[in-house]
């Protein structure tokens, strides 16, 4: 019968099977532990996540309001500029009328 390092092939196969089962068990323990830890972290940070979502929505809403107010301000500035031009034209007309008298 053939052997390797003094062990028969059946013994070597048994040792490899035991080693693979041990590694599989350790791998499962790590995955399960990581999953449990991740769930605990998610449950603990859920209120914070909700607050971030509300904050994001509030920022979006405020940004939209800011843009609307900015557009209104620009329209108001244009109107003021048009009124300034009209006042300047009226002042020039008044000066010309006073000069002609």
């Amino acid at each position: 019968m053939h052997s390797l390092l003094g062990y028969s092939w059946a013994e070597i196969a048994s040792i490899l099977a035991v080693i693979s089962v041990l590694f599989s068990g350790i791998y499962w323990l790590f995955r399960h532990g990581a999953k449990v830890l991740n769930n605990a972290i998610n449950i603990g940070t859920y209120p914070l996540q909700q607050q971030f979502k509300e904050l994001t929505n509030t920022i979006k809403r405020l940004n939209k309001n800011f843009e609307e107010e900015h557009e209104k301000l620009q329209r108001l500035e244009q109107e003021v500029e048009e009124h300034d031009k009209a006042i300047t034209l009226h002042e020039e007309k008044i000066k010309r009328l006073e000069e002609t008298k």
Side-chain angles (χ1 to χ4, degrees), residues 30-65:
F30 277 121
R31 280 187 52 115
H32 181 71
K35 198 178 291 186
V36 168
L37 182 63
N38 191 25
N39 287 338
I41 290 172
N42 280 338
I43 290 169
T45 60
Y46 182 75
L48 183 62
Q49 292 172 6
Q50 292 305 108
Q51 287 177 349
F52 276 128
K53 286 179 185 178
E54 291 175 14
L55 181 62
T56 301
N57 291 336
T58 302
I59 289 172
K60 286 179 183 178
R61 191 174 67 249
L62 289 175
N63 192 25
K64 182 179 176 185
N65 289 343

Side-chain angles (χ1 to χ4, degrees), residues 65-79:
N65 289 343
F66 175 76
E67 289 173 358
E68 291 173 357
E69 291 298 321
H70 185 68
E71 290 173 7
K72 288 179 184 178
L73 182 62
Q74 284 183 336
R75 284 192 299 249
L76 184 62
E77 285 177 351
Q78 287 175 350
E79 288 181 25

Side-chain angles (χ1 to χ4, degrees), residues 13-31:
S14 297
I15 291 170
L16 288 177
V18 168
I19 290 172
S20 66
V21 167
L22 286 175
F23 279 123
S24 297
I26 292 169
Y27 175 75
W28 180 85
L29 282 175
F30 277 121
R31 280 187 52 115

